[in-house]
């Protein structure tokens, strides 16, 4: 490490042990750092967004979830509390600055620029996950059979032409499946869906909760220390980090990573950066025990309903929805029921009266910035603190490369991609 600005041995506290924190820990260990993982939840906890997502490891998911002309739809989002995107009225004033910036980022040229930056982070997601998963003894959890984007017809696919055009410009390839070809691949899917594209370069994780537990066990087996607790800030003296502050006292260290998902904003402020970060709530319904009658052979995004259906080890998972409400607002489980009902529409082979015991609902909080790009890079107040959060809809997939980059920053090396678009100082 002779060419590093940092002296070794170096001890990093990684705040938050979701996908991003765990990947950062593993890659920091590879770089020879001493690592402490700090989280108030257990690894694989249902509270982390990394637990209940749709499992996609999709290097082609580079179009931010904004659409040109989206501002016209905002009144509808407010009026329909159970629509695929909704905003709770009471939360609107708080959300407004984030929302305005989000709407401003919906211009076509901005989307192109964002997609280019996200591609640099997401590319090879499946391969990077395979590599770490295999080391962690969890290679069986990573499936490499690609993913589908399903439409009613070619006409509906063509309505998405802008996004696919941008992907094409970035060199992303896909195969079209129409009519019988789609039926052969997905015999359980309602035949009303007659067109799909298959993206071969993508993969998925068959059980994100178990994957997180495996990564955590692997990091600990290699010497990472696990501390149960909640970070509240930092002690910085003369520009150098001395300790992470927690509710139970200080953790002395030379470096820290903020990877606390949707709860990262206050910690970022303590590190000198005012970032715009919202908890973008999503839901899933998981249906156990009916895979013989109805399954998604390939994970599929169904544009019409804005959901992803993935056959997980524990059942068929339908995930999606965007709800803006305060962090602590109670879950609206009617949204879980909507996910379940979409499953019944997509897969006619499911029994119409699903026993309640077969269905489980989950609420998750995506850490989302208004421009759809994460924050990755050194903090303004101190280069010993690294930002690593804000991956929104693609945080599982992007966690592997993010972890590598975080480790490069902790070691004082040049990061492998240009981090300017991801600067926490851009807000
Ligand atoms: C419905 C849904 C579907 C999704 N589908 C996909 C998908 O298919 N593919 C994909 O790539 N992404 C998907 N995502 C997004 C993905 O789940 C997130 O982007 C990703 O999990 C974020 O990981 P993280 O490590 O940043 O945060 P988290 O997984 O939320 O982890 C943050 C951790 O920090 C801890 N923490 C918080 N505050 C503190 C503190 N002060 N001190 C200590 N610890 C703290 C928390 O306890 C938690 O364990 C989906 C999300 C949702 C909601």
């Amino acid at each position: 490490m002779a060419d590093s600005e940092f002296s070794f041995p170096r001890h990093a506290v990684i705040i938050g042990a979701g996908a991003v924190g765990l990947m950062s820990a593993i890659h920091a260990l590879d770089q020879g750092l001493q690592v402490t993982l700090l989280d108030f939840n257990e690894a694989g906890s249902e509270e982390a967004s990394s637990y209940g997502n749709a499992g996609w490891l999709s290097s082609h998911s580079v179009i931010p979830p904004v659409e040109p002309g989206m501002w016209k739809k905002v009144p509808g989002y407010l009026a329909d509390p159970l629509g695929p995107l909704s905003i709770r009225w009471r939360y609107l004033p708080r959300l407004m600055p984030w929302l305005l910036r989000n709407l401003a980022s919906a211009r076509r040229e901005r989307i192109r620029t964002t997609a280019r930056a996200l591609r640099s982070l997401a590319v090879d997601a499946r391969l990077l996950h395979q590599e770490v998963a295999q080391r962690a003894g969890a290679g069986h959890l990573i499936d490499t059979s690609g993913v589908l984007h399903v439409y009613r017809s070619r006409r509906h696919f063509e309505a998405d032409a802008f996004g696919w055009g941008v992907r094409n410009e970035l060199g992303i390839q896909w195969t079209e499946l129409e009519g019988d070809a789609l039926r052969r691949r997905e015999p359980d899917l309602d035949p009303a869906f007659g067109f799909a594209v298959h993206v071969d370069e993508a993969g998925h994780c068959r059980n994100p909760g178990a994957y997180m537990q495996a990564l955590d066990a692997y990091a600990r087996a290699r010497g990472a220390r696990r501390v149960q607790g909640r970070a509240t800030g930092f002690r910085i003296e003369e520009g150098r980090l001395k300790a992470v502050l927690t509710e139970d006292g200080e953790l002395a260290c030379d470096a820290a990573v903020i990877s606390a998902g949707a709860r990262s904003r206050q910690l970022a402020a303590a590190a000198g950066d005012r970032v715009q970060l919202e908890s973008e709530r999503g839901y899933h319904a998981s249906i156990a025990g009916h895979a013989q009658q109805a399954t998604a052979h390939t994970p599929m995004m169904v544009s019409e309903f804005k959901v992803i259906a993935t056959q997980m080890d524990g059942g068929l998972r339908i995930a999606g929805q965007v709800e803006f409400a305060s962090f602590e607002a109670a879950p609206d489980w009617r949204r879980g029921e909507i996910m379940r009902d979409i499953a019944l529409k997509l897969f006619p082979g499911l029994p119409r009266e699903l026993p309640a015991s077969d269905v489980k609902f989950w609420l998750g909080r995506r850490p989302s910035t208004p421009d759809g790009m994460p924050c990755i890079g050194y903090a303004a107040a101190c280069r010993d603190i690294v930002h690593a959060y804000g991956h929104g809809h693609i945080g599982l997939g992007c966690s592997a490369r993010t972890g590598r980059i975080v480790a490069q920053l902790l070691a004082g090396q040049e990061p492998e991609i240009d981090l300017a678009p991801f600067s926490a100082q851009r807000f």
Side-chain angles (χ1 to χ4, degrees):
M1 299 294 165
D3 57 347
S4 171
E5 68 185 279
F6 304 122
S7 51
F8 279 70
R10 196 157 199 252
H11 172 212
V13 172
I14 297 183
I15 305 167
V20 174
L22 289 166
M23 283 292 182
S24 300
I26 289 167
H27 288 290
L29 290 163
D30 291 346
Q31 290 275 10
L33 278 92
Q34 293 166 8
V35 170
T36 297
L37 273 162
L38 172 67
D39 200 314
F40 53 89
N41 280 309
E42 298 291 330
S45 147
E46 294 195 15
E47 257 205 56
S49 188
S50 300
Y51 167 85
N53 53 64
W56 279 33
L57 309 172
S58 46
S59 37
H60 70 293
S61 294
V62 295
I63 309 297
V66 290
E67 304 163 36
M70 195 170 152
W71 57 270
K72 292 182 213 149
K73 298 185 180 167
V74 171
Y77 300 153
L78 288 163
D80 181 4
L82 293 178
L85 193 161
S86 81
I87 303 170
R88 294 204 196 164
W89 270 104
R90 233 179 308 159
Y91 195 61
L92 185 61
R94 170 84 200 276
L95 183 67
M96 200 47 108
W98 188 99
L99 192 60
L100 290 174
R101 191 165 172 133
N102 181 247
L103 297 175
S105 66
R107 292 195 309 273
R108 283 175 188 258
E109 261 330 291
R110 286 287 298 278
I111 291 176
R112 272 204 176 82
T113 310
T114 301
R116 249 193 318 275
L118 288 179
R119 177 69 172 167
S120 71
L121 189 63
V123 72
D124 290 336
R126 180 176 87 185
L127 282 173
L128 298 179
H129 278 279
Q130 268 183 303
E131 188 267 318
V132 179
Q134 270 159 13
R135 283 204 270 152
H140 60 287
L141 294 178
I142 308 299
D143 185 293
T144 58
S145 53
V147 298
L148 287 174
H149 290 251
V150 170
Y151 297 88
R152 276 197 186 260
S153 66
R154 179 180 289 277
R155 190 170 54 79
H156 290 87
F157 165 68
E158 284 165 358
D160 261 359
F162 172 69
W164 288 104
V166 173
R167 289 189 181 101
N168 185 38
E169 286 161 22
L170 293 169
I172 294 164
Q173 297 184 342
W174 60 86
T175 313
E176 295 183 358
L177 296 168
E178 199 159 9
D180 287 346
L182 177 57
R183 286 292 73 70
R184 280 194 294 278
R185 186 161 189 129
E186 293 300 333
D188 299 340
L189 179 66
D190 181 351
F193 293 90
F195 188 88
V197 295
H198 178 252
V199 183
D200 182 55
E201 66 175 46
H204 80 277
C205 174
R206 307 171 62 87
N207 186 339
Y211 187 31
M212 295 306 110
Q213 285 169 350
L215 295 179
D216 179 69
Y218 176 59
R220 281 187 291 114
R222 294 187 55 208
R225 190 161 75 103
R226 189 76 146 90
V227 173
Q228 190 117 11
R230 188 186 291 264
T232 54
F234 305 98
R235 181 156 65 82
I236 301 169
E237 289 172 7
E238 294 168 6
R240 301 312 302 251
L241 181 68
K242 298 296 174 190
V244 168
L245 311 180
T246 82
E247 287 179 341
D248 310 309
E250 290 192 359
L251 275 177
C253 58
D254 312 297
V257 178
I258 306 174
S259 49
R263 294 183 196 259
S264 297
R265 190 174 51 199
Q266 286 82 351
L267 292 166
D273 290 304
R274 290 173 63 85
V275 301
Q276 287 185 304
L277 185 75
E278 277 297 326
S279 113
E280 187 186 331
R281 295 150 64 108
Y283 291 79
H284 84 217
S286 178
I287 300 167
H290 299 276
Q292 294 302 325
Q293 301 106 302
T295 185
H297 294 270
T298 319
M300 55 179 83
M301 152 80 81
V302 186
S303 294
E304 178 169 331
F305 298 120
K306 296 198 178 355
V307 299
I308 294 179
T310 309
Q311 182 63 49
M312 296 286 181
D313 284 348
L316 178 64
R317 182 176 290 183
I318 310 289
Q321 304 257 311
V322 169
E323 178 188 53
F324 289 102
S326 74
F327 197 98
E328 306 301 346
D332 184 346
W333 293 126
R334 291 176 301 173
R335 290 180 164 280
E337 290 166 9
I338 291 172
M339 299 281 97
R340 178 201 57 204
D341 294 346
I342 289 174
L344 293 171
K345 283 186 192 145
L346 293 176
F347 300 102
L350 283 174
R352 298 299 90 183
E353 296 298 328
L354 275 170
S357 55
D358 292 350
V359 185
K360 198 176 154 209
F361 300 135
W362 173 80
L363 160 73
R365 298 174 175 88
R366 306 176 186 93
S368 294
T369 61
D371 58 13
M373 285 189 287
C375 296
I376 308 171
Y378 293 119
C382 174
R383 283 169 68 83
D384 296 325
I385 302 174
V386 173
H387 296 281
Y389 50 81
H391 297 72
H393 292 236
I394 54 173
L396 180 69
C398 288
S399 61
R401 188 180 301 284
T402 300
R404 261 171 43 157
I405 294 168
V406 164
Q408 288 156 3
L409 295 173
L410 289 172
Q413 296 166 2
E414 193 62 29
E416 65 191 41
I417 64 168
D418 175 20
L419 293 183
F422 307 119
S423 165
Q425 289 92 44
R426 70 184 185 273
F427 298 99

